[in-house]
Amino acid sequence: MHHFKYKNGALHCEDVSIRDIADQVGTPFYLYSTATLKRHFQAFDSGFDGVDHLTCFAVKACSNIAVLNLFGQMGGGADIVSGGELFRAMKAGVDPKKIIYSGVGKTLAEMREAMYAGILMFNVESPQELDRLQDVGAELGGTARIAFRINPDVDPKTHAYISTGLAKNKFGVPAGEALQEYLRARDMENIEIVGVSCHIGSQLTQIEPFIEALRKIKVFVGRLEKEGITIKYLDLGGGVGITYDDERPPHPSDYAKAVREELADMDCTLILEPGRVISGNAGILVTEVQYTKVNSGGENDKRFVIVDAAMNDLTRPALYGAYHEIIPVREGGESMEQVDIVGPICETGDFMARDRMMPEVAQGDLLAIMSSGAYGFSMSSNYNSRLRAAEVLVSDSRFQIIRYREEVEDLLRGESISALG
Ligand code: LLP
């Protein structure tokens, strides 16, 4: 359920006409609904009511500080994977004691910053990372709270690029080696073992892989207990999928129910790192049709709708062949046509949709690329020296620009002409 609906033939975000926003802000822009963001956070988080838990929004999904601030105000924490995300989470007012740091390649500088900030826990992904963290702890005269991220070797049945829990993926420490690492960590002066974590992949549409991973983690926690190591936090990562097209992912409450049943006999605080399931359907990308054209000469005439958003704005179709529903902001008429919706970038891979049946559109029309609130703006780039889009947040009948559209000067920030002769 989201708050992007037609009213009198015009697409609205909550009570604001999207055409009105476009007239004031220009296109393309990302548009988020406060009501949807809150609703999705609440729907996810409340599934764990009555269980000691912490919902740490995966910052990489939607990193704008206005969005992070919203979840922080709702009691949420943050799952971060870089010094940049730490900076964002802190600026957004997220309580550092609710920040989890994941990722295989944390640098020394990033570890120092996170230690200094006093985050809740580092999810350690290799023996060398543990050693480095011990050194940082000693250097700063503090203790790093850690979990190991266990790679449970479970097939999440999702796109290969976003599967992370298979033995062949770069993530985590294999369960077989992790025990030894916990024993090593136990003897380290500046390390405190507090948890176990795992994250098996993203856009999962079935519950079973989560449960399969959880069972393996439970067995592992049992082994730790035998060694006298008790766990305070069990971090299950993120990964619950959403509907882009005709997927039928589990409702967050069903996911929560299954997890709770499986964990009934465990006494620890549950940590969750949802991203997409919270922000994915709470955001859209609004773009204007620049041209329509027909390229004939092939087997069939090919119709193109050329818009002002491109793969630098929303990279998911180009990168994963991902499907995003695209609808006209002025409700479409009866007449349909099959088109490719493409951007201005000089690559054939620059498409938003291919061979899509759409109501006929014309130059100047606005289109809404749905389900773009996760891994949309946060994956955008300046490729082709395009200015990154604006981000806008709606609440009821008002809207606010939460990130201005870049200007050409932004493109050159930090660049200089060589003085080397
Ligand atoms: N925790 C960790 C350690 C992660 O690596 C991720 C996502 C999450 C949580 C959040 O997963 P979610 O709940 O959003 O599925 N760019 C891709 C998705 C990459 C996901 C990377 N890790 C896409 O556009 O589909």
Side-chain angles (χ1 to χ4, degrees), residues 367-413:
L367 300 179
I369 305 176
M370 307 303 286
S371 311
S372 302
Y375 308 108
F377 186 90
S378 61
M379 289 177 77
S380 67
S381 77
N382 288 119
Y383 187 41
N384 274 210
S385 287
R386 288 170 48 80
L387 306 176
R388 250 179 287 211
E391 288 180 288
V392 179
L393 183 68
V394 162
S395 181
D396 298 327
S397 57
R398 294 180 308 154
F399 75 88
Q400 183 187 326
I401 298 174
I402 54 172
R403 194 184 205 274
Y404 279 96
R405 183 180 313 290
E406 284 180 343
E407 297 177 354
V408 279
E409 283 75 20
D410 295 318
L411 291 175
L412 302 190
R413 197 166 156 215

Side-chain angles (χ1 to χ4, degrees), residues 58 60 79 149 162 199 202 239 273 275-276 316 320 375 379:
K60 65 173 83 67
D79 162 54
R149 174 166 170 182
I162 52 176
H199 168 79
S202 195
E273 303 172 353
R276 187 187 322 260
R316 303 193 71 259
Y320 315 113
Y375 308 108
M379 289 177 77

Side-chain angles (χ1 to χ4, degrees), residues 8 27 36 71 86 131 166 175 180 223 230 249 252 255 273 277 283 318 330 343 401 419:
N8 300 323
T27 52
T36 314
F71 300 142
L86 173 66
D131 293 333
L166 284 166
Q180 187 191 329
R223 268 192 234 142
T230 50
Y255 163 77
E273 303 172 353
V277 69
R330 184 170 40 82
I401 298 174

Side-chain angles (χ1 to χ4, degrees), residues 200 204-212 249-251 254-256 258-259:
I200 58 172
L204 271 68
T205 51
Q206 297 168 29
I207 290 184
E208 291 71 26
F210 287 115
I211 299 304
E212 198 186 329
H251 188 276
D254 293 329
Y255 163 77
V259 167

Side-chain angles (χ1 to χ4, degrees), residues 22-321:
D23 287 346
Q24 291 178 56
V25 176
T27 52
F29 62 94
Y30 276 90
L31 181 61
Y32 310 103
S33 152
T34 303
T36 314
L37 288 166
K38 283 185 170 171
R39 183 192 170 100
H40 288 180
F41 184 90
Q42 182 60 24
F44 187 93
D45 193 63
S46 63
F48 297 94
D49 276 354
V51 175
D52 210 359
H53 76 281
L54 178 61
T55 299
C56 294
F57 179 68
V59 172
K60 65 173 83 67
C62 188
S63 319
N64 189 291
I65 57 172
V67 172
L68 304 181
N69 172 265
L70 209 67
F71 300 142
Q73 283 189 41
M74 296 177 80
D79 162 54
I80 61 163
V81 290
S82 69
E85 288 192 351
L86 173 66
F87 180 70
R88 284 184 173 280
M90 300 286 287
K91 283 282 177 195
V94 176
D95 180 353
K97 295 213 175 52
K98 294 182 177 175
I99 295 179
I100 306 290
Y101 198 156
S102 310
V104 293
K106 305 173 191 83
T107 65
L108 260 178
E110 288 175 324
M111 283 178 175
R112 288 188 185 117
E113 287 156 22
M115 273 285 289
Y116 187 73
I119 65 163
L120 179 62
M121 170 167 105
F122 290 87
N123 287 342
V124 176
E125 305 213 21
S126 66
Q128 287 186 3
E129 190 190 331
L130 177 68
D131 293 333
R132 185 178 266 186
L133 200 50
Q134 158 58 29
D135 290 347
V136 170
E139 173 195 312
L140 298 184
T143 306
R145 287 176 289 274
I146 65 140
F148 275 97
R149 174 166 170 182
I150 308 295
N151 182 323
D153 195 18
V154 164
D155 184 357
K157 303 195 170 72
T158 184
H159 192 290
Y161 286 10
I162 52 176
S163 149
T164 54
L166 284 166
K168 65 179 179 187
N169 301 140
K170 69 179 173 183
F171 298 97
V173 179
E177 290 162 34
L179 184 61
Q180 187 191 329
E181 288 310 308
Y182 270 94
L183 296 176
R184 228 161 55 80
R186 182 166 61 178
D187 294 336
M188 289 182 171
E189 207 163 312
N190 301 85
I191 296 288
E192 184 192 357
I193 297 169
V194 292
V196 172
S197 80
C198 88
H199 168 79
I200 58 172
S202 195
Q203 182 57 9
L204 271 68
T205 51
Q206 297 168 29
I207 290 184
E208 291 71 26
F210 287 115
I211 299 304
E212 198 186 329
L214 189 46
R215 290 198 178 128
K216 292 192 175 181
I217 298 294
K218 269 173 71 175
V219 170
F220 182 73
V221 170
R223 268 192 234 142
L224 287 180
E225 275 165 2
K226 282 206 189 92
E227 297 291 339
I229 297 173
T230 50
I231 290 305
K232 240 193 270 181
Y233 302 108
L234 186 58
D235 179 350
L236 293 184
V240 178
I242 62 170
T243 302
Y244 286 99
D245 186 7
D246 53 7
E247 305 90 337
R248 297 207 171 280
H251 188 276
S253 61
D254 293 329
Y255 163 77
K257 189 163 166 272
V259 167
R260 293 174 67 148
E261 275 169 18
E262 199 56 40
L263 288 181
D265 50 344
M266 285 187 77
D267 180 25
C268 51
T269 300
L270 200 54
I271 294 180
L272 304 136
E273 303 172 353
R276 187 187 322 260
V277 69
I278 291 180
S279 66
N281 283 324
I284 65 173
L285 173 59
V286 180
T287 181
E288 187 187 72
V289 175
Q290 301 300 304
Y291 306 103
T292 60
K293 71 171 183 177
V294 182
N295 279 6
S296 50
E299 272 175 33
N300 297 305
D301 286 353
K302 192 90 184 157
R303 290 175 181 278
F304 291 97
V305 173
I306 301 160
V307 297
D308 64 1
M311 65 189 281
N312 74 297
D313 298 300
L314 179 68
T315 186
R316 303 193 71 259
L319 193 56
Y320 315 113

